[in-house]
Amino acid sequence: MIDLRSDTVTKPSLGMLDAMMSAKVGDDVFNEDPTVIELEQYAAQLLGTDAAIFCPSGTMTNQIGINVLSNPYEEVLCYKGAHIYKYEGGGVAGTSGLSFRLLEGDRGRLSCEEIVNNINPDDIHFPKTSIIEIENTVNKGGGCYYTLSEIEGIFKIANEYNLKMHLDGARLFNALIETGENSEDYGQYFDTISICLSKGLGAPVGSLLAGKKEYINKARRVRKFLGGGMRQAGYLGAAGLYALKNNIDRLKEDHRKAQRLASALSVCDYIEEIYPVETNIVIFRLGSGLYTEVVLEKLKAKGVLAVPFGKSEVRLVTHMDVSESQIDECCEVFTSLKI
């Protein structure tokens, strides 16, 4: 099967496995795992922040980041399709006692005007607006991304209204490969930044939360009560280090593969719309009267796995474990498919 369901399905490369097998480890809950310490320091430097903390998942780093920036009964501004709202089991409400103000955005990218228009006044009838959360890249927006100049505009609003900034940067490096901007510049704009190591970067497990030292110190306590304290985590940390040092530049290959898929899809008569393809995510909408379940079953029968992304939408994600020849096969499947 050619698995295009997500870039989370990748397996560690031989080089990554070698790094994992030779990792020096200790007890990370006691802050004694040398490999995890190295990973956290490397990530903090890479993102231009004071510190970082290694966690099992991007859901956990998002949940921790939101928690340490807020108090119960406050409100988060985010895109209506944001991962923290749609795909994290209601955790922000349960763990942090917060509500959401959901914004439309341009394929999920929030504008300064929309943000300002949705900040609550200082009125006891309304939850206090406390955090602006953005994704880069935007998953539900088909992998579209913000530039640093756009982020700077949002940051100025956050400063003016005394709001915190959290970045769900699960695929941040996919954005940076396209913009050519420096990851180190991100730390000045966000209080907390979540990055995922187990998506396009190819690690088997793990995410990092980076940010100001005061928030990362709080994050260690929150990680503990969420059950995210791992012991000899250096074996996983070594995979993360390898991913950050070796697998960022190659993301451009995944973007090129996504463009090839989009070109093939553009001639398929059963497809009504393809979202603009900017990174490694391809989302297409089926024509009227067609159902995703039917299309997904036909694709599976031809050896291609994808996921539904709404009643009439399908998502494909390219990654390092899909070869160029497999992309050729996929293009043939899509163009020859009879619906």
Side-chain angles (χ1 to χ4, degrees), residues 92-104:
V92 166
T95 301
S96 300
L98 305 177
S99 58
F100 288 100
R101 175 70 67 88
L102 302 177
L103 309 185
E104 192 69 32

Side-chain angles (χ1 to χ4, degrees), residues 207-222:
S207 291
L208 288 149
L209 182 71
K212 298 175 181 177
K213 190 172 183 179
E214 62 179 296
Y215 297 129
I216 300 306
N217 287 342
K218 290 181 181 179
R220 293 196 179 276
R221 180 177 292 275
V222 180

Side-chain angles (χ1 to χ4, degrees), residues 265-280:
L265 293 168
S266 68
V267 301
C268 298
D269 57 10
Y270 54 87
I271 293 175
E272 184 172 297
E273 180 187 8
I274 304 169
Y275 282 30
V277 177
E278 300 181 23
T279 51
N280 70 323

Side-chain angles (χ1 to χ4, degrees), residues 84-117:
I84 63 166
Y85 172 67
K86 287 189 71 73
Y87 300 120
E88 297 187 8
V92 166
T95 301
S96 300
L98 305 177
S99 58
F100 288 100
R101 175 70 67 88
L102 302 177
L103 309 185
E104 192 69 32
D106 169 25
R107 286 192 293 140
R109 292 170 298 191
L110 308 183
S111 69
C112 294
E113 180 181 8
E114 189 175 16
I115 290 170
V116 169
N117 289 340

